[in-house]
Amino acid sequence: MTTSPPDLLLERLQRVVAPDYRVERRLGEGGMGVVFLAHDVLLNVDVAIKVLRPELWTAGASEGFLREARILATLRHPNVVLIYRADQREGLDFYIMELIGGPTLEQRLESGPLPADDVVQIGIDLLTGLEQVHRLGLVHRDIKPSNVFVMPDRAVLGDFGIARPATDQDEAHRSEGTPDYMAPEQVQRKASTPRTDICSIGVVLYEAVTGRPFHAQGDHVDWSGVPEPLATVLRRAVEPDPDARWKDAKSFRQALEPGSVRPISPRRIAAIVGAVVILGVGLRMLRHHGEDACGVPQPRLRAPAVAFPPIEYEGPGKYSARANALLCDVRSDLGAHVNFSDSASAALSVQARMTVTGSEVIVRLAGGIPPSEFHVPLDQSSALHDSISYQIALAIWAIRSPLAGSLPASALPRRFQGLIGLAEGEQFVAETQWERADSTYRQAERADSTCWICAWRITDVSRWLGREPDPKLVRIFSVHADSLPPPYRNIILASTLPLRARLDTLRAVTEGFRDNFLGWFQLGDELFHRGPLLGHRRAEATPAFERAARLRPDYGPAWEHLAWIATAEGDSSEADNALHSLESHSTAPDPFSRGLRALLYVGFAWRFLPEKAAAQLTNQVAGDTATQSNPDFGAGPRLLPTFDAPRGAIYLGEILEKQPSHELQRAGLIGEILGDVALGRMDRTRDLAGRLTAVSPEKEIELFNAELPAALAFVDPGSVHTAGVLDALGALIASAGTDSTLRDRASWLSTLLGHPTPLRDAAPSALQLYLAADSLAASGRQRAAVYLLDQVPVDAATGVDPFFRTIYHLQRAKWRAQLGDFQGAKSELIWHEHLALVGLPTDLPQAAEIDWAFGTLASWRLARLLDRSKGQPAQRGDVCAAYAAVARHWSGSPSPYGARAEFARTRTHALKCTTRNER
């Protein structure tokens, strides 16, 4: 095939992409393709179009070119060029992508090498994007300065023309790539793996900081002028042996990051603070405006646009007004849910024709919906709008809902109110507007009894809102679940199963239906919220959420959870990326969602930003009138520990303590107390307990104040002064009166501290079983003790005692370690990473809050367990992470916590831990 001249190729491409795009000029060309500048006529933005060179076309090249483009089109990441679509028309293979406005790194280097700090930041950005590419199973294989775009705020990796899936097979017939930046195995046509890209990145960064070609130097590379810390990292990246390089992009990135976290630029700090201001103030605008020709109020701005012009009429003139009436009736039905428009660019276009013949009315629908026809008697024509509205709602569902392709029509509601409500509710969920989604589903379920699937969605959303499931709704969707295809049937079934079986069922869904985004999200949700109770680290939820986000990039809940996990895990880069993605899909949140979003930013600030910036942002949130009027405001300081940010909990708690509301004062003080427990500042908790009693003199609070030092004295002897602890418990037992729950709790802890106090026969079985197990362990029968407590459900803390689960896991870990079961002990000691709440913590202390407060003690136990274990698999990363958490939280605290922090710091140095090992 002869090479087409550039102008002929441009003209050919123009014919293919018209009228949607106007091809302007050729931007450049590489080994596989030619890139053109084009203009998206509809959106009025410039784009780039890459075309596979016609002379290189083969069936294999075409398939690979389009396959990788389509895969990458599912990736939405600020450090990877965005691909909008891939296509094949009239013999041309092409894809349309984001037009990057910045220069390439190659162009930047024409003026000489870059400062080391700039090169490090470019490397961090490229590796952050590359992590996402590798998670798709792809290897870029052509990383070089001309494929790196340097924007004012970030670097972007582009040109995936020869990207391929990772393989362990040699590539004898492939010679693609740029030799000056290839890894040795790529030059030798051996297998390409993610470590191939690691080497290329290392070469690019070396040349960027030195201005010298790398491969041209042979075996004697000149490292002069490269700061030693950077040189150490890059030397490992460019090792000839792939196994000697960084194992993946994440570990390479973490090695580049100075300190324990990726530095956050002042610009990003300002953006985060600005985002919170917008959340509090800027999104209060009204979302309704004006009326249409039928007098129907216009809907919210993000509603789909539907073109529904006047209905064509044919028949006796005396009935012609019925066509206009029908048009207005349909607009009235759907006016709150869609934007009716006469524009040809509307998402959905519907044409209707009404014919009256004799005593019959016929309406034919066409356009962007499946052709349909309705026949009704003339005297019943007023009911036609129901059928037409339903057909439009069905079309909207088909083009807007990600469930449309896999949820059978038989499961859909039978009336337009139910169907349009279901579609809109799904949109609200995707936008993380939880309260509006709940309200919309409920309205649809009330208006249309056939919307049984709405009952399921109400129950699912209610969990996120902290509400108990309605048994009536559970029965409704459970009866119908068997009529659904396997993925949905099993997702619904999972919600009714015990935790372990629930996780197994959801794993089976994701393994059998890998493109079902909802299955991946539900699996991630369970692993994040409740997985640690079974010994799964919360980070295990990350791949499931990432998969859900790749399958549906606009699904806000996946990004919310990814931001939460990454913040808690101490990965500022991933947290920032997730927040950025969440921002890009934001809309006007309802009060609950606005508060939740603000909490994500505040948690991020206290985890990563300087304390002054974190305090500034917290003051901004707490001082906003919308925040202060939010009924969930009190949950703020009590949820911040879930981000591993107890100092933020204390700071916000001090703000709430000064509020006039009794409820907010109580919430603030509880947050302060538990934050101080996590920081090992037990001396402060006594004073705070007195202030809490003064604000909230309920017996429950009095018992909480007595149980806290008692639990500490039991699980960590010598950590607190025990004088008066037993007296306080005894006084509560004596004054409990008819409150048997308070008496059981006080008696249980009193017995554990060596002052046996009989429990009632009707006391919770979990308390009785624990006392029996503790007695067995004290007599040297730890195995029997562990076995006995296996009968206690993992969520037994609910309704038993908020301190029960903490004591349960800490002591079981101790007994397992005594038996030599180090892996079992390790699993017990990560239970506190969960987010299993019963509603939001705005009232009395919950078991989950106690778990989080004792998390630092659990990290100390875990570090000592793994550090002392012999003959176990290498677990250095976990040891380092646990010691780092102890050093960060307990540093400067009174004895024994401050001394433990100093020991932890010493051990991290002896173990040669990097600061990135901190979680």
Side-chain angles (χ1 to χ4, degrees), residues 47 70 114 180 202 216 234 302 310 336 405 519 527 600 678 685 720 802 879 883:
V47 298
R70 285 166 180 152
L114 302 180
D180 287 345
L234 295 185
R302 286 178 61 88
L527 284 170
L600 285 170
T685 62
V720 295
V879 176
Y883 272 137

Side-chain angles (χ1 to χ4, degrees), residues 683-867:
D683 52 332
R684 276 177 42 93
T685 62
R686 289 189 293 274
D687 174 59
L688 289 168
R691 282 148 56 185
L692 177 59
T693 300
V695 166
S696 193
E698 302 101 318
K699 280 287 184 183
E700 277 275 2
I701 293 298
E702 186 181 353
L703 179 58
F704 166 74
N705 286 334
E707 281 189 297
L708 178 58
L712 280 163
F714 177 66
V715 299
D716 197 22
S719 62
V720 295
H721 299 292
T722 56
V725 171
L726 284 171
D727 291 341
L729 291 173
L732 281 164
I733 293 169
S735 63
T738 58
D739 195 334
S740 55
T741 301
L742 295 184
R743 178 184 176 86
D744 288 336
R745 287 168 53 184
S747 299
W748 175 67
L749 268 172
S750 180
T751 301
L752 290 179
L753 288 176
H755 191 274
T757 308
L759 270 66
R760 299 174 305 114
D761 291 339
S765 61
L767 298 182
Q768 296 174 339
L769 281 170
Y770 185 86
L771 290 179
D774 190 67
S775 178
L776 287 169
S779 64
R781 301 173 63 191
Q782 289 88 349
R783 193 177 305 279
V786 171
Y787 177 78
L788 183 63
L789 287 185
D790 284 342
Q791 301 176 52
V792 178
V794 292
D795 58 352
T798 304
V800 177
D801 185 312
F803 289 86
F804 176 83
R805 190 162 56 203
T806 290
I807 293 173
Y808 170 96
H809 284 287
L810 286 172
Q811 294 302 96
R812 276 171 61 96
K814 175 182 173 182
W815 301 337
R816 287 183 183 275
Q818 290 169 347
L819 291 167
D821 179 10
F822 295 104
Q823 189 59 43
K826 176 184 175 182
S827 296
E828 298 283 357
L829 288 171
I830 62 175
W831 96 96
H832 60 91
E833 293 185 355
H834 70 83
L835 191 59
L837 287 163
V838 181
L840 289 176
T842 56
D843 196 356
L844 298 171
Q846 288 199 31
E849 299 177 85
I850 310 300
D851 295 339
W852 307 331
F854 280 74
T856 313
L857 177 61
S859 294
W860 168 251
R861 294 275 182 86
L862 181 61
R864 299 301 294 137
L865 171 79
L866 299 179
D867 200 5

Side-chain angles (χ1 to χ4, degrees), residues 434-462:
W434 300 100
E435 285 186 333
R436 294 183 75 178
D438 179 73
S439 174
T440 301
Y441 287 136
R442 291 181 186 276
Q443 290 175 13
E445 197 267 338
R446 285 194 296 267
D448 182 0
S449 61
T450 69
C451 190
W452 62 264
I453 205 164
C454 290
W456 167 45
R457 304 305 286 141
I458 292 167
T459 304
D460 202 42
V461 170
S462 292

Side-chain angles (χ1 to χ4, degrees), residues 16-32:
V16 167
V17 300
D20 298 332
Y21 298 92
R22 184 175 66 249
V23 184
E24 305 282 359
R25 57 185 171 85
R26 186 160 53 96
L27 289 175
E29 51 190 285
M32 291 291 291

Side-chain angles (χ1 to χ4, degrees), residues 331-388:
R331 293 195 173 206
S332 178
D333 288 343
L334 299 173
H337 309 284
V338 302
N339 281 311
F340 282 107
S341 165
D342 294 328
S343 171
S345 63
L348 178 66
S349 179
V350 181
Q351 289 89 45
R353 181 180 183 85
M354 174 186 283
T355 304
V356 176
T357 6
S359 60
E360 184 181 50
V361 177
I362 304 170
V363 173
R364 298 178 178 87
L365 299 180
I369 63 176
S372 50
E373 188 172 300
F374 305 97
H375 295 249
V376 297
L378 184 61
D379 59 358
Q380 297 178 22
S381 61
S382 60
L384 274 169
H385 66 94
D386 286 325
S387 300
I388 298 174

Side-chain angles (χ1 to χ4, degrees), residues 500-806:
R500 200 177 301 276
R502 191 182 314 159
L503 286 172
D504 290 343
T505 301
L506 290 172
R507 283 197 186 93
V509 169
T510 58
E511 290 169 4
F513 305 91
R514 299 192 65 80
D515 291 335
N516 187 295
F517 89 92
L518 195 57
W520 287 104
F521 177 78
Q522 295 285 7
L523 175 60
D525 191 64
E526 288 298 335
L527 284 170
F528 172 52
H529 286 278
R530 286 161 284 277
L533 297 175
L534 290 178
H536 298 283
R537 302 216 80 129
R538 84 188 136 218
E540 291 181 37
T542 298
F545 285 130
E546 288 176 338
R547 177 75 175 182
R550 286 200 300 272
L551 290 170
R552 189 180 174 190
D554 68 334
Y555 197 61
W559 297 116
E560 277 185 344
H561 284 74
L562 284 168
W564 205 310
I565 295 172
T567 302
E569 289 290 300
D571 192 333
S572 62
S573 174
E574 292 296 333
D576 192 28
N577 288 335
L579 286 172
H580 179 85
S581 296
L582 186 58
E583 290 164 8
S584 69
H585 300 298
S586 294
T587 184
D590 53 35
F592 177 88
S593 304
R594 182 164 55 237
L596 179 62
R597 191 79 56 84
L599 179 68
L600 285 170
Y601 284 115
V602 173
F604 180 95
W606 281 102
R607 195 68 171 90
F608 304 121
L609 302 189
E611 186 168 331
K612 183 177 180 181
Q616 174 192 0
L617 190 145
T618 307
N619 290 333
Q620 188 74 254
V621 171
D624 184 67
T625 53
T627 300
Q628 293 174 356
S629 63
N630 191 320
D632 303 323
F633 184 26
R638 296 166 64 174
L639 283 171
L640 279 171
T642 66
F643 300 101
D644 205 15
R647 287 179 175 81
I650 293 170
Y651 188 89
L652 184 54
E654 289 171 345
I655 293 176
L656 264 64
E657 188 184 355
K658 298 171 186 173
Q659 299 294 315
S661 162
H662 155 79
E663 288 77 13
L664 290 180
Q665 291 174 16
R666 178 178 63 189
L669 282 162
I670 291 172
E672 288 181 70
I673 289 172
L674 296 176
D676 278 321
V677 172
L679 295 177
R681 303 194 311 207
M682 306 309 168
D683 52 332
R684 276 177 42 93
T685 62
R686 289 189 293 274
D687 174 59
L688 289 168
R691 282 148 56 185
L692 177 59
T693 300
V695 166
S696 193
E698 302 101 318
K699 280 287 184 183
E700 277 275 2
I701 293 298
E702 186 181 353
L703 179 58
F704 166 74
N705 286 334
E707 281 189 297
L708 178 58
L712 280 163
F714 177 66
V715 299
D716 197 22
S719 62
V720 295
H721 299 292
T722 56
V725 171
L726 284 171
D727 291 341
L729 291 173
L732 281 164
I733 293 169
S735 63
T738 58
D739 195 334
S740 55
T741 301
L742 295 184
R743 178 184 176 86
D744 288 336
R745 287 168 53 184
S747 299
W748 175 67
L749 268 172
S750 180
T751 301
L752 290 179
L753 288 176
H755 191 274
T757 308
L759 270 66
R760 299 174 305 114
D761 291 339
S765 61
L767 298 182
Q768 296 174 339
L769 281 170
Y770 185 86
L771 290 179
D774 190 67
S775 178
L776 287 169
S779 64
R781 301 173 63 191
Q782 289 88 349
R783 193 177 305 279
V786 171
Y787 177 78
L788 183 63
L789 287 185
D790 284 342
Q791 301 176 52
V792 178
V794 292
D795 58 352
T798 304
V800 177
D801 185 312
F803 289 86
F804 176 83
R805 190 162 56 203
T806 290

Side-chain angles (χ1 to χ4, degrees), residues 428-507:
F428 283 137
V429 169
E431 295 170 356
T432 67
Q433 299 195 66
W434 300 100
E435 285 186 333
R436 294 183 75 178
D438 179 73
S439 174
T440 301
Y441 287 136
R442 291 181 186 276
Q443 290 175 13
E445 197 267 338
R446 285 194 296 267
D448 182 0
S449 61
T450 69
C451 190
W452 62 264
I453 205 164
C454 290
W456 167 45
R457 304 305 286 141
I458 292 167
T459 304
D460 202 42
V461 170
S462 292
R463 286 198 310 163
W464 189 236
L465 292 170
R467 299 170 185 162
E468 287 296 309
D470 182 341
K472 176 185 174 183
L473 294 177
V474 173
R475 281 195 300 273
I476 289 173
F477 68 73
S478 296
V479 167
H480 293 275
D482 284 345
S483 66
L484 291 175
Y488 295 102
R489 181 169 67 242
N490 291 332
I491 289 172
I492 290 176
L493 171 65
S495 66
T496 65
L497 297 174
L499 179 55
R500 200 177 301 276
R502 191 182 314 159
L503 286 172
D504 290 343
T505 301
L506 290 172
R507 283 197 186 93

